[in-house]
Amino acid sequence: MSSPAFAAMPNAVAANCRWGRLRALLAASAFGGLALSAGTALAQPEKCPRMVAERPKVRLAALDAAMLRLAEATGPVHLTFIGHASFLIESPAGVSIVTDYNDYVRANLVPRIVTMNHAHDTHYTDAPDPGIEYVLKGWGRDGAPAHHEVTVEDVWIRNVPTNIRRGAGTEYDGNSMFVFEVAGVCIAHLGHLHHLLTKDHLEALGRIDVVLAPVDGSYTLDLEGMVEVLKSINAPLVIPMHYFSQYGLERFLARLGQEWTVQPSAEPFVLLSRETLPKTRTVLVLPGR
């Protein structure tokens, strides 16, 4: 069910692969790229938890060209696994985001937004490309937690701080899980997660549709711990990342496959929308690592 138009893309999206081509593909198939299980998604609230009631009311006279472009931006979210813990997320309005941006694995374009975590240098860089507009670090200064809440056209991003191991000790609020609301789809990147999630963490995450989960089972959370985390988040779609061998991935899939449907993809990308989220809990395996 993969699309020949993307067959040549190994681990990153080419810069000229844009929404005009995606719309053409969508016109030719029910769901471009990889088609997830058809049917109505799991019963969920319509919006990500964004405190809509607290937003200031916008009068029609206040609408400007940027807001009109946002209103016109429709279509799926394009998500590509670049490698390790990095994904490229492209919104219908053309906003590009790279998660855990670093010096080793990068997309073939300069994204508008990047997020980082600093457990290891494969998850951040001290020298981001100067063309990046927003650099969101998952750790704060002087031990304070990072706090991000950013809206860029049709994308809303926020973070939920977590702790990381430092030798025999703990660095409190040293990293973050990032949540991306794009076209009504709530995507959570768990970062370099080292511990189970508390009730406060889960409440801060809110409803999640897609989890990008580290599954190495050692440097991050152990296998059973990650399974417990994924159960507690209860998203309909899990995409594994941050594994170091095929054995490590297969070990995770064997365990999660006892309770989730495992669906491999021939391509490193998927198009996501609320309407096409799977009806049952699914693990989507994108090639690469």
Side-chain angles (χ1 to χ4, degrees):
M1 300 180 71
S2 58
S3 169
F6 293 93
M9 298 193 305
N11 282 323
V13 172
N16 64 349
C17 182
R18 285 308 185 200
W19 287 108
R21 295 177 64 192
L22 289 177
R23 290 193 180 99
L25 288 171
L26 288 171
S29 63
F31 194 62
L34 175 69
L36 296 177
S37 302
T40 305
L42 295 172
Q44 303 270 8
E46 291 185 359
K47 294 285 187 180
C48 300
R50 193 176 174 175
M51 303 303 180
V52 175
E54 297 180 6
R55 293 184 194 167
K57 293 183 179 179
V58 180
R59 294 178 298 178
L60 184 61
L63 291 174
D64 58 13
M67 295 180 71
L68 289 173
R69 286 197 303 272
L70 172 59
E72 293 171 357
T74 59
V77 184
H78 190 173
L79 184 143
T80 301
F81 184 33
I82 303 170
H84 201 53
S86 293
F87 290 82
L88 172 64
I89 302 170
E90 294 178 287
S91 79
V95 177
S96 56
I97 308 151
V98 170
T99 65
D100 277 23
Y101 180 86
N102 61 80
D103 291 321
Y104 305 96
V105 180
R106 291 191 177 183
N108 289 339
L109 55 81
V110 177
R112 191 168 177 185
I113 306 167
V114 301
T115 63
M116 298 183 193
N117 282 298
H118 79 156
H120 300 286
D121 62 2
T122 51
H123 298 262
Y124 74 96
T125 177
D126 291 324
D129 191 292
I132 298 169
E133 190 173 348
Y134 299 90
V135 176
L136 308 181
K137 296 180 178 180
W139 64 99
R141 294 183 177 179
D142 302 321
H147 176 74
H148 299 292
E149 189 171 349
V150 178
T151 300
V152 181
E153 296 191 42
D154 59 341
V155 174
W156 179 64
I157 304 172
R158 57 190 173 85
N159 73 301
V160 178
T162 66
N163 306 328
I164 55 174
R165 298 183 296 269
R166 281 295 183 205
T170 299
E171 181 181 344
Y172 293 97
D173 300 317
N175 278 243
S176 289
M177 300 179 288
F178 282 91
V179 179
F180 310 88
E181 177 191 331
V182 191
V185 179
C186 302
I187 303 169
H189 186 286
L190 299 188
H192 213 274
L193 187 63
H194 288 186
H195 55 75
L196 299 177
L197 300 182
T198 66
K199 180 180 178 182
D200 288 342
H201 287 122
L202 294 171
E203 289 179 351
L205 283 175
R207 192 205 84 226
I208 299 299
D209 300 313
V210 182
V211 179
L212 311 178
V215 302
D216 59 278
S218 57
Y219 289 97
T220 59
L221 199 57
D222 65 88
L223 178 60
E224 289 303 322
M226 182 54 62
V227 172
E228 184 173 339
V229 164
L230 295 175
K231 285 182 177 181
S232 65
I233 295 174
N234 196 31
L237 184 62
V238 172
I239 299 178
M241 63 172 186
H242 199 269
Y243 52 91
F244 300 96
S245 67
Q246 190 64 27
Y247 168 78
L249 174 62
E250 293 297 337
R251 178 171 171 263
F252 169 79
L253 296 178
R255 173 63 184 86
L256 214 61
Q258 298 172 19
E259 301 172 66
W260 271 257
T261 298
V262 176
Q263 184 171 346
S265 169
E267 304 287 359
F269 71 94
V270 62
L271 302 184
L272 301 166
S273 69
R274 290 283 298 145
E275 293 74 23
T276 54
L277 289 171
K279 295 170 63 177
T280 59
R281 294 188 300 187
T282 298
V283 181
L284 174 63
V285 185
L286 301 180
R289 68 169 190 259

